[in-house]
């Protein structure tokens, strides 16, 4: 054996500064609560692929928690006339949405045959009941009072949902800023019932058109508009990937929660959160 072929005799370097005594100190796992998190994947069947199903949905809920954290702060910032801090928050929301979009690619590795091995164990539980996803939609202005019915068995959660239903959305406070900058917005739009779904308004579309046609004058409002479009675009892509994943795995079966499944998801795709921001593109 030549010199170049001999096994290396060099000892692995050791970082002597690494802390190893955690008898009285908090560890990485302690800080993150990993014992609790990693023991929360409880399969109801013996099927191997149920673990995938649980982990995808649990991690999605964690990402949704962060989205809600950012949307709440962004809405408060915009309502207070502080647009710049909201831009970073909304940009982060868009990045998190990308993670959610990609999660469907992982779940789609589950075949129809594999899913049917444990689907009956889910009972009537369904992603349709995700209250965090519902709160995200409320935050973006897609309100639906009837959606609260599935939470009536949980009074504390029900009241939280009800409160969110009646609060101004991210889009409502953005439109208020248009008015605050002197752009004419119909009084009925500004004083609308916030528990109702967002409906396209001619005065709002005209105001956004003014912003887009006078970018230098309204640069911050223009940037806000594009951040809103980013968020909606990704939310729609998440919806679409959800639809295609469900179609790939269960076809047109009724959902476990009783929804019409793919048929329902197709209807949802036609909904717009910020309709005027999309309508104006035809007129520019």
């Amino acid at each position: 054996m030549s010199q170049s072929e001999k096994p290396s005799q060099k000892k692995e370097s050791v970082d002597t500064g690494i802390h190893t005594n955690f008898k009285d100190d908090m560890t990485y796992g302690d800080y993150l609560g990993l014992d609790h998190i990693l023991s929360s994947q409880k399969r109801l069947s013996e099927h191997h692929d149920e673990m995938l199903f649980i982990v995808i949905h649990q991690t999605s809920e964690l990402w949704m928690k962060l989205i809600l954290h950012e949307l709440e702060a962004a809405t408060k910032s915009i309502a207070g006339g502080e647009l710049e801090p909201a831009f970073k928050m909304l940009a982060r929301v868009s990045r998190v949405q990308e993670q959610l979009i990609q999660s469907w690619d992982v779940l789609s590795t589950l075949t129809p045959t594999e899913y049917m091995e444990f689907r009956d164990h889910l009972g009537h539980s369904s992603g349709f009941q995700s209250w965090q996803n519902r709160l995200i939609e409320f935050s973006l202005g897609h309100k639906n009072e009837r959606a609260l019915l599935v939470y009536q068995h949980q009074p504390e959660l029900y009241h939280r949902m009800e409160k969110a239903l009646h609060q101004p959305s991210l889009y409502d406070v953005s439109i208020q800023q248009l008015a605050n900058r002197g752009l004419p917005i119909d009084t009925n739009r500004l004083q609308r019932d916030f528990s109702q779904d967002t409906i396209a308004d001619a005065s709002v579309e005209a105001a956004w058109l003014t912003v887009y046609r006078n970018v230098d004058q309204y640069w911050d409002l223009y940037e806000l508009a594009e951040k809103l479009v980013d968020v909606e675009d990704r939310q729609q892509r998440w919806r679409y990937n959800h639809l295609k994943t469900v179609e790939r795995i269960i076809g047109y079966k009724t959902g476990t929660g009783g929804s019409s499944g793919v048929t329902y998801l197709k209807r949802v795709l036609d909904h717009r959160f910020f309709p005027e921001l999309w309508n104006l593109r035809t007129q520019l």
Side-chain angles (χ1 to χ4, degrees), residues 178-240:
L178 293 174
N180 291 350
R181 294 287 288 276
L183 293 163
I185 304 295
D186 192 298
T187 302
N188 290 330
R189 177 59 181 85
L190 295 174
Q191 299 177 356
R192 79 183 191 92
D193 180 354
F194 296 125
S195 70
Q196 300 299 308
D197 196 12
T198 300
I199 298 176
D201 180 275
S203 67
V204 172
E205 185 171 334
W208 283 126
L209 270 170
T210 298
V211 169
Y212 274 74
R213 287 170 174 162
N214 299 274
V215 173
D216 291 340
Q217 182 180 353
Y218 299 107
W219 175 259
D220 55 345
L221 291 173
Y222 173 71
E223 188 168 1
L224 172 61
E226 285 299 294
K227 287 290 188 292
L228 293 174
V229 170
D230 286 343
V231 170
E232 171 155 355
D233 179 63
R234 285 164 176 78
Q235 190 70 7
Q236 292 288 41
R237 281 197 275 151
W238 180 84
R239 284 171 161 181
Y240 179 76

Side-chain angles (χ1 to χ4, degrees), residues 22-78:
F22 290 95
K23 181 179 179 181
D24 299 312
D25 288 340
M26 177 177 64
T27 67
Y28 169 82
D30 294 333
Y31 174 67
L32 296 177
L34 289 182
D35 286 348
H36 178 69
I37 292 173
L38 298 179
S39 62
S40 296
Q41 295 71 49
K42 304 183 187 304
R43 289 182 293 165
L44 298 179
S45 74
E46 295 299 320
H47 198 275
H48 173 84
D49 294 299
E50 188 182 354
M51 181 63 74
L52 163 68
F53 192 81
I54 293 172
V55 169
I56 285 292
H57 288 86
Q58 286 184 342
T59 53
S60 293
E61 291 292 335
L62 284 173
W63 284 125
M64 288 180 191
K65 183 172 184 175
L66 180 55
I67 287 176
L68 286 169
H69 177 71
E70 299 296 339
L71 287 179
E72 181 180 350
T75 300
K76 183 177 179 180
S77 181
I78 294 168

